[in-house]
Amino acid sequence: DAEDGTLVHVTVVCGDSAPYGVAALVNSTLTHASGGTRAALRFHVVTRPELRDALSYKLHGALPGADGLITVSAMSDERLAKLAARLTPIGVTTDPFEMPLLWVHHALPADVPRTVLLSSDTLVLFDVRELYSAALNGKVGAVIEDCSVLFENVFNYHHPLFASKHARSSCSFDAGTMLIDLKAWRKDEVPMRLIDVLGTQRR
């Protein structure tokens, strides 16, 4: 896609008080961005409430050239507690903060149309606009396939649960690295559907 001035939103979740990975992510993204992309980049770093101020101070100190491009916000403890209350009865004991696909749409401003969600240990070695501008053709998001790990090595895809849904072998993917259409994500209630899938663990 042409560099048309459209903002490029990159989101990263960081629960670590030492944001070395996030700093490297931002630096690598800026280093490999074209001039047009660099001016359009907006980084949304989401952390825990108690880490917000310190993380913002450290990131802006480590990346003075990124002033105005980085916003550090916090996911509310109240919303995370509500998620935990929904997950515990279905046997999911993982800290909801570690499951951003269930809440990332709440953590970003309503006017952000889509975002590239990256793991905090990611290094970006190309112009991230290429990924941000990918055509989704009505889908809620897109992932990058990892064919070094097949789903058949992770799931018993012959189980009746997968019949007519995913009853075949295919490449796996890292759900921490995604392009998300936030409007479609909300409209299709993807977080609720993910929780429904998580609820099948007991069965």
Side-chain angles (χ1 to χ4, degrees):
D1 283 15
E3 295 187 356
D4 57 6
T6 302
L7 294 180
V8 176
H9 297 278
V10 175
T11 301
V12 57
V13 176
C14 179
D16 191 342
S17 60
Y20 303 121
V22 179
L25 183 156
V26 172
N27 185 58
S28 65
T29 303
L30 291 172
T31 298
H32 291 89
S34 65
T37 297
R38 187 184 178 97
L41 274 166
R42 296 296 182 272
F43 295 94
H44 304 272
V45 179
V46 187
T47 189
R48 300 179 188 274
E50 65 272 17
L51 297 178
R52 178 181 178 177
D53 291 344
L55 195 60
S56 180
Y57 176 80
K58 291 175 182 178
L59 283 174
H60 287 97
L63 299 160
D67 277 350
L69 304 183
I70 303 174
T71 300
V72 180
S73 61
M75 186 57 194
S76 78
D77 283 333
E78 181 182 357
R79 193 174 290 280
L80 291 174
K82 288 180 178 178
L83 265 175
R86 297 202 62 179
L87 295 171
T88 301
I90 60 174
V92 179
T93 57
T94 304
D95 181 350
F97 183 80
E98 304 297 334
M99 307 173 77
L101 296 185
L102 300 182
W103 52 259
V104 69
H105 57 297
H106 291 299
L108 299 175
D111 61 348
V112 176
R114 59 167 56 187
T115 190
V116 176
L117 176 66
L118 298 177
S119 299
S120 60
D121 59 352
T122 303
L123 290 178
V124 178
L125 303 179
F126 59 92
D127 191 326
V128 76
R129 186 187 290 269
E130 295 176 30
L131 180 56
Y132 186 83
S133 301
L136 290 177
N137 300 317
K139 303 293 185 183
V140 297
V143 296
I144 298 173
E145 288 188 324
D146 176 8
C147 292
S148 67
V149 179
L150 299 180
F151 266 125
E152 65 186 63
N153 298 328
V154 181
F155 298 111
N156 173 16
Y157 73 95
H158 294 295
H159 191 282
L161 177 65
F162 291 93
S164 76
K165 297 179 182 68
H166 194 85
R168 62 183 177 83
S169 176
S170 66
C171 300
S172 64
F173 57 86
D174 176 7
T177 303
M178 293 185 68
L179 171 63
I180 300 174
D181 180 327
L182 291 163
K183 183 177 179 180
W185 196 261
R186 294 182 182 100
K187 181 181 177 183
D188 287 7
E189 298 184 330
V190 175
M192 298 299 297
R193 294 165 70 179
L194 290 174
I195 289 174
D196 287 343
V197 171
L198 290 171
T200 63
Q201 287 187 131
R202 287 192 167 182
R203 303 199 300 272

